[in-house]
């Protein structure tokens, strides 16, 4: 039986940051489930850069069904966790069911991949204190406030925690996450 990987997300997640790891991990042979606040069709977004803008722009992205609601997740059934970015982490960090899930993965030292604004979730449970991370560069102060050492790098690996800045860093992010994952939860 293939090891299970959990992706936690919601509406306004960055399309590429959900679907790239979803497809890449399935390609490796893992069983991947997407959990959200409720079982429903999620509306993702596309963040891109336009000339003349001081920050990224947001456009509607793909839709995708959530397999589970956060309240249905048994973290013990999953070998690893993926936390995409986009705007979803801004409101998801307030969800008590999700915070329980996140805490379980960190307490068990299971592999966690986070990208872009995803570290806002791990910061909300105190999971970044004393860790080295990267995130979307505008979150540098948030990461430092959470007790992390911020590095503006394509990917940062700190034990079982693998972080990346944003979707342009996918190749390095998944390469390093799969290295950790294969050691901790190989496909059988």
């Amino acid at each position: 039986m293939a090891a299970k990987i959990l992706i936690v997300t919601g509406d306004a997640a960055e399309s590429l940051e959900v679907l790239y790891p979803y497809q890449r991990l399935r390609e490796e042979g893992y069983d991947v489930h997407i959990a959200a606040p409720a079982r429903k069709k999620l509306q993702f977004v596309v963040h891109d850069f336009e000339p003349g803008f001081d920050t990224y722009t947001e456009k509607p992205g793909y839709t995708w069904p959530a397999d589970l609601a956060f309240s249905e997740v048994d973290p013990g059934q999953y070998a690893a966790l993926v936390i995409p970015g986009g705007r979803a982490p801004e409101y998801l960090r307030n969800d008590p069911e999700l915070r329980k899930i996140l805490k379980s993965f960190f307490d068990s030292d299971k592999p966690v991949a986070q990208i872009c604004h995803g570290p806002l979730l791990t910061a909300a449970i105190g999971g970044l204190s004393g860790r080295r991370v990267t995130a979307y560069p505008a979150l540098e102060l948030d990461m430092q406030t959470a007790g992390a050492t911020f590095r503006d790098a394509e990917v940062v690996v700190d034990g079982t925690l693998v972080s990346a800045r944003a979707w342009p860093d996918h190749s390095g992010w998944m390469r390093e996450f799969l290295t950790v994952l294969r050691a901790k939860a190989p496909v059988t």
Side-chain angles (χ1 to χ4, degrees):
M1 181 189 288
K4 293 181 186 177
I5 309 296
L6 182 66
I7 297 176
V8 292
T9 194
D11 288 325
E14 163 56 54
S15 293
L16 290 173
E17 293 172 3
V18 177
L19 296 176
Y20 180 79
Y22 177 81
Q23 293 170 337
R24 183 65 188 93
L25 293 165
R26 290 189 64 205
E27 179 182 46
E28 279 294 308
Y30 291 97
D31 186 11
V32 184
H33 298 161
I34 295 176
R39 281 187 192 225
K40 68 174 208 159
K41 186 188 326 183
L42 298 168
Q43 176 63 62
F44 300 143
V45 298
V46 173
H47 289 144
D48 208 350
F49 296 91
E50 301 288 341
F53 280 72
D54 292 330
T55 189
Y56 54 85
T57 61
E58 183 173 286
K59 298 168 185 74
Y62 294 105
T63 59
W64 199 266
D67 300 305
L68 302 160
F70 294 148
S71 63
E72 299 173 302
V73 172
D74 174 1
Q77 297 296 308
Y78 294 91
L81 177 68
V82 176
I83 307 170
R87 278 188 301 112
E90 294 173 12
Y91 68 90
L92 292 177
R93 61 186 163 176
N94 297 310
D95 188 303
E97 291 294 327
L98 177 55
R99 288 196 308 267
K100 284 188 241 174
I101 294 167
L102 296 168
K103 188 163 175 18
S104 176
F105 278 90
F106 276 83
D107 288 351
S108 302
D109 197 34
K110 291 181 180 179
V112 174
Q114 60 183 11
I115 190 166
C116 194
H117 284 71
L120 291 173
L121 294 177
T122 51
I125 60 153
L128 299 183
S129 184
R131 307 294 293 260
R132 292 180 324 277
V133 299
T134 193
Y136 188 71
L139 297 184
E140 180 176 1
L141 294 176
D142 299 274
M143 298 299 96
Q144 292 169 348
T145 300
T149 300
F150 178 83
R151 296 204 175 133
D152 186 3
E154 177 185 48
V155 64
V156 172
V157 179
D158 186 329
T160 57
L161 178 63
V162 181
S163 54
R165 294 174 297 200
W167 59 262
D169 298 333
H170 275 163
S171 298
W173 181 49
M174 278 294 108
R175 182 174 42 255
E176 295 300 329
F177 184 58
L178 283 165
T179 298
V180 171
L181 200 50
R182 288 176 186 130
K184 289 277 197 172
V187 174
T188 56

